[in-house]
Amino acid sequence: MVWQVEQIAAVAPSAAAYAAAQPLAVASRWSGTGVDDQALWGRCGGSGAEPYDVFVDHVAARFACSCPSRQVPCKHAVALLLVWARGGVAAGVRSAAVDEWVRRGTAVVARPDEVRPALPDPQGLVAVTADPPAPQRGDRDERVARMRAGLVELRRWLGDRMRTGLSDPAMARFDTWDRLAARLVDAQVGGLANRVRRVAGLAGASADWHQQVLAELGILDLLAEAGLRLGELPDDLADSVAVALGWQIRQASILAGVPDTDRWQVLGRSDTREDRIEVRRLWLRGVQSGAWAMLLSFAAYGQSLDGSLPVGAVIDGDLYRYPGRLRLRALLGLSCGAPQWGGPPSAVTVAHAVEEVGRQVAAEPWIDRVPVCVVAAVAPAAGRWWLVDDRSMVPLDAPGAVVATLAAAGSGEMVPTTCEWTANGFVPLTVHLADRHIDVGRVADASFVGAA
Amino acid sequence: MIQQHWEELTAVALLGTDRRPPPPVPAGHLADLLADLAARHPAADRAEVLLHQVAATTVLRRAARLPRPATVAPAVVDHDSRPPTPPGAEGDFRRITAEFPAIVGEWLEAVAAGGWRLGAELVVPVLVHTRRDPTLAELAHRVAGPVAAWLVQTWPGLAPRPAGRRPAPTDDPLPVTPELAVVCGRPPGDCAAALAAMFRAGTVSTAQRAMLINLVARLPRPSLLPVARALDTVDGSPAVLGLAAHLAALARLRQRALTELDPR
């Protein structure tokens, strides 16, 4: 039986992979196609000299392709399924190679009827944990079309702002931004809607707000353009863009991936309000690997944020990382033992931390926060506070009480301090002393969230 | 050069490209990047040219930022050889200030008597909480050590408020009725039994809440746990039960906080 488009979308490993398959799902890109009662096959012209051989067992939902992609199914297999679903593949007699592959039966992946797409989330943040209802026909195609229309509209809006100028009084009205954010939510690019709301909060909030808003509009334009060209991007970058736009990935898909096993120490925590949701970021770092990871938890009004992992705790276990280029966001596996207290972590110089931030920003230019653990002290200069070591200094972005706590902790000595880099400066999260970890990250408003 | 270009971009963006064209791009990495972009995706109009320049310049400014050379050194504070308060003290202090501020003084005295200095996480909250009470502020500065003077010098808002009234030596910070004072002076077992009996007989009520809190706040340490256990057995209206539970919580908090601050 011919698959439906929503079944194909459901087996695609990510939204980005599905989008990347779209340009390939035209008959002119394929040769030697055929289908019988179990197998589907064809050759897709790629960037290499040789076309890729693609085999699909459409009964057992198995896929194979000669392309170098590690995704299963790759975009070529997804594209071949789409061509078939659209009536572009005629019945044929399978070759010996296809026959052998079908009989060998390897690389089993999920059956299409077991895989369901994620619920669209207007916040663009909350991963769906429960199984959503089965998709309706054409849902995914419709969503891609809505997303593209939303991105085109965003670019038009940005162009209008550049033409009329940031001094336009409309820029200071929240309504100007809120209407755009609402349209982006409708277009199911909730990640961009959140960004727009954050930019709205910058307008008029400081003396240099024009510069801050302009920078964020530039990043929005970059993301919108990247979103319109997902199919042209390398897979990992396309995944990063898709996540930034607000495409959802089911937790089950993430947990089905290859785990990253290490002893993970919680080095920082920060709570931020995203519209009507409080978001808690926990920054973990592998004791052996030194790799960073971020766990997110969410709480709407009256709900509790996850407080099970205090700053400084160490857990042995598996993290499952979301796709993308930096792959910071992760889910904690279920096989972890009880948290134990960990000592002060290793830390780097200020210059090294800035270099690391630069690498990460270059990899994902829209990234808002980069974790670093730096050995430094605090000192005032030129009317603001700085994180200083023997050679370098970087500006801090923190309220006075937090800087005072940092100062009290160090008493002039340099101490390991975990910070989040942001465009406004380094935000201190934790001071690590020999016998304690002092959590100085922003805490969610207790009148909004319940007790953990 | 990039900073100057960014300021030019901001000026154009403020006025709008209808009134001013985007500035020329300075030669270098940025120009190369934008030329590459224009070759593949030519901009449709001035607004798009400006957006491309803004995006590329923003990324460059963020990714290629260098730290400044260190031109300042942190002020070094005199060393304080006392051990910092145990990590659990922070939670106790926050609960005391939120629920039982009457025992802040006792807690600070215990810190001093135990030979501790305030842990770094406690210095600022303690200075903020005590600055309006000259007696407590003095005690706070003593247990905070040299870092307190340095912090006050840097953040004058942490300095004690001169408007605060210093209590007269005859003032009782925890006044109780004569009947309750008698209960307080009894041996631990008798004290607990007498307080529970008063609850059962209805001779104490929520109207005496403040006095009862003062009573538990001034109980000698050996009486704290027996009193807490006796209060657990009190029966009565929801208001009486709530009061008994509150007093029992105070007794247990005092017991734990003071034990934690015992000299090691």
Side-chain angles (χ1 to χ4, degrees):
Chain A
M1 198 169 82
V2 178
W3 285 20
Q4 296 174 352
V5 170
E6 61 267 27
Q7 288 177 297
I8 301 166
V11 295
S14 66
Y18 183 80
Q22 295 286 350
L24 302 175
V26 288
S28 59
R29 298 291 296 265
W30 293 85
S31 60
T33 56
V35 63
D36 62 17
D37 57 354
Q38 186 175 6
L40 170 68
W41 60 89
R43 307 188 88 197
C44 180
S47 51
E50 285 295 316
Y52 298 128
D53 285 306
V54 187
F55 304 154
V56 177
D57 181 335
H58 58 82
V59 175
R62 295 186 295 114
F63 313 92
C65 180
S66 58
C67 77
S69 171
R70 284 179 295 173
Q71 290 190 321
V72 180
C74 67
K75 62 184 178 183
H76 305 105
V78 175
L80 178 57
L81 282 165
L82 285 169
V83 175
W84 177 44
R86 292 166 185 164
V89 180
V93 178
R94 66 174 82 151
S95 65
V98 176
D99 193 49
E100 187 190 351
W101 176 78
V102 170
R103 281 191 286 105
R104 200 157 16 107
T106 54
V108 175
V109 296
R111 288 175 171 277
D113 56 353
E114 289 173 351
V115 182
R116 292 167 180 168
L119 281 176
D121 166 35
Q123 300 304 326
L125 278 167
V126 184
V128 177
T129 53
D131 268 358
Q136 300 300 305
R137 184 179 180 83
D139 269 1
R140 188 58 70 107
D141 280 349
E142 199 178 298
R143 181 171 182 186
V144 170
R146 268 207 300 270
M147 180 196 84
R148 293 186 66 87
L151 296 179
V152 168
E153 187 171 350
L154 171 61
R155 297 208 67 221
R156 193 182 306 129
W157 187 92
L158 291 167
D160 289 345
R161 299 285 78 77
M162 293 301 104
R163 271 185 284 280
T164 56
L166 300 183
S167 54
D168 182 348
M171 295 296 286
R173 288 198 297 270
F174 188 75
D175 185 52
T176 303
W177 303 89
D178 198 43
R179 278 205 310 269
L180 174 66
R183 287 201 294 273
L184 292 172
V185 168
D186 288 344
Q188 300 191 340
V189 280
L192 291 184
N194 278 334
R195 279 183 175 268
V196 167
R197 289 199 178 98
R198 283 201 292 272
V199 182
L202 298 174
S206 61
D208 64 343
W209 72 267
H210 293 106
Q211 297 208 25
Q212 293 184 29
V213 167
L214 183 62
E216 293 306 319
L217 295 185
I219 296 295
L220 274 170
D221 184 60
L222 184 70
L223 268 174
E225 181 133 5
L228 289 168
R229 300 176 191 281
L230 270 184
E232 300 170 27
L233 303 177
D235 286 349
D236 59 346
L237 189 58
D239 284 335
S240 294
V241 173
V243 168
L245 296 181
W247 278 65
Q248 294 299 300
I249 303 170
R250 290 169 306 119
Q251 289 196 357
S253 301
I254 303 300
L255 293 170
V258 178
D260 195 351
T261 305
D262 205 330
R263 296 197 77 210
W264 299 99
Q265 184 169 24
V266 184
L267 293 191
R269 175 206 55 79
S270 73
D271 299 344
T272 49
R273 179 78 66 80
E274 297 277 357
D275 195 18
R276 285 161 292 178
I277 286 185
E278 195 74 43
V279 183
R280 171 162 293 175
R281 287 175 180 77
L282 283 184
W283 291 108
L284 278 61
R285 201 175 67 179
V287 173
Q288 272 101 41
S289 66
W292 287 92
M294 176 182 67
L295 303 180
L296 291 181
S297 64
F298 308 91
Y301 177 75
Q303 294 179 337
S304 299
L305 285 162
D306 181 12
S308 59
L309 289 177
V311 168
V314 176
I315 44 168
D316 281 304
D318 298 338
L319 288 186
Y320 294 85
R321 292 180 182 272
Y322 278 68
R325 188 156 268 191
L326 291 176
R327 307 194 71 200
L328 283 173
R329 188 177 171 192
L331 295 175
L332 188 57
L334 297 174
S335 59
C336 294
Q340 298 169 329
W341 190 85
S346 61
V348 298
T349 62
V350 169
H352 189 113
V354 172
E355 196 180 315
E356 183 55 32
V357 168
R359 260 198 295 272
Q360 302 219 19
V361 173
E364 282 190 14
W366 44 85
I367 194 169
D368 290 323
R369 295 154 199 275
V370 178
V372 291
C373 187
V374 59
V375 184
V378 293
R384 70 181 299 178
W385 283 87
W386 301 75
L387 211 48
V388 184
D389 67 10
D390 296 334
R391 305 174 70 96
S392 318
M393 63 186 200
V394 286
L396 277 172
D397 180 24
V402 170
V403 179
T405 299
L406 258 62
S411 294
E413 301 290 326
M414 291 190 285
V415 289
T417 306
T418 295
C419 301
E420 278 177 341
W421 167 87
T422 71
N424 293 327
F426 282 68
V427 179
L429 301 182
T430 313
V431 187
H432 307 279
L433 300 180
D435 65 340
R436 70 195 68 196
H437 304 272
I438 302 175
D439 180 350
V440 294
R442 179 191 170 267
V443 181
D445 184 353
S447 66
F448 184 83
V449 296
Chain B
M1 189 186 293
I2 293 297
Q3 180 60 26
Q4 188 190 337
H5 181 61
W6 176 249
E7 281 161 15
E8 288 169 6
L9 286 174
T10 308
V12 174
L14 270 170
L15 293 173
T17 52
D18 285 348
R19 278 175 277 187
R20 187 184 284 191
V25 183
H29 293 308
L30 184 62
D32 296 344
L33 181 65
L34 286 164
D36 185 43
L37 182 65
R40 284 192 287 171
H41 308 295
D45 55 18
R46 280 177 169 187
E48 201 169 338
V49 168
L50 182 62
L51 275 169
H52 283 173
Q53 286 198 27
V54 167
T57 310
T58 299
V59 175
L60 198 65
R61 289 178 79 223
R62 290 180 180 177
R65 188 183 291 270
L66 293 172
R68 289 196 187 182
T71 54
V72 286
V76 177
V77 180
D78 289 345
H79 180 66
D80 188 339
S81 59
R82 295 174 295 176
T85 45
E90 186 195 8
D92 290 340
F93 178 75
R94 291 195 187 280
R95 191 161 168 218
I96 287 168
T97 53
E99 297 179 43
F100 306 107
I103 61 169
V104 168
E106 180 190 40
W107 186 84
L108 287 171
E109 292 282 6
V111 172
W116 307 95
R117 66 176 161 88
L118 290 177
E121 70 279 12
L122 275 169
V123 173
V124 174
V126 168
L127 293 182
V128 169
H129 184 83
T130 58
R131 65 193 163 147
R132 290 182 186 281
D133 183 319
T135 308
L136 290 182
E138 197 175 294
L139 197 48
H141 278 249
R142 184 144 54 91
V143 294
V147 74
W150 179 72
L151 287 174
V152 165
Q153 196 180 356
T154 312
W155 284 276
L158 294 174
R161 295 280 183 169
R165 184 183 74 90
R166 187 182 289 272
T170 53
D171 285 354
D172 184 350
L174 300 169
V176 292
T177 60
E179 297 79 16
L180 292 177
V182 171
V183 171
C184 189
R186 292 186 179 179
D190 291 354
C191 170
L195 193 57
M198 291 168 80
F199 268 95
R200 276 194 290 275
T203 54
V204 291
S205 69
T206 52
Q208 292 152 291
R209 182 185 178 91
M211 289 287 177
L212 288 165
I213 288 175
N214 285 349
L215 168 69
V216 178
R218 61 193 290 165
L219 283 175
R221 277 175 70 180
S223 296
L224 288 172
L225 284 184
V227 163
R229 291 190 196 110
L231 288 168
D232 290 342
T233 66
V234 166
D235 203 359
S237 67
V240 168
L241 279 176
L243 175 59
H246 191 64
L247 296 174
L250 170 57
R252 290 197 169 92
L253 176 59
R254 275 190 69 207
Q255 173 68 26
R256 191 184 62 240
L258 296 177
T259 304
E260 192 162 41
L261 293 174
D262 279 339
R264 287 194 176 156

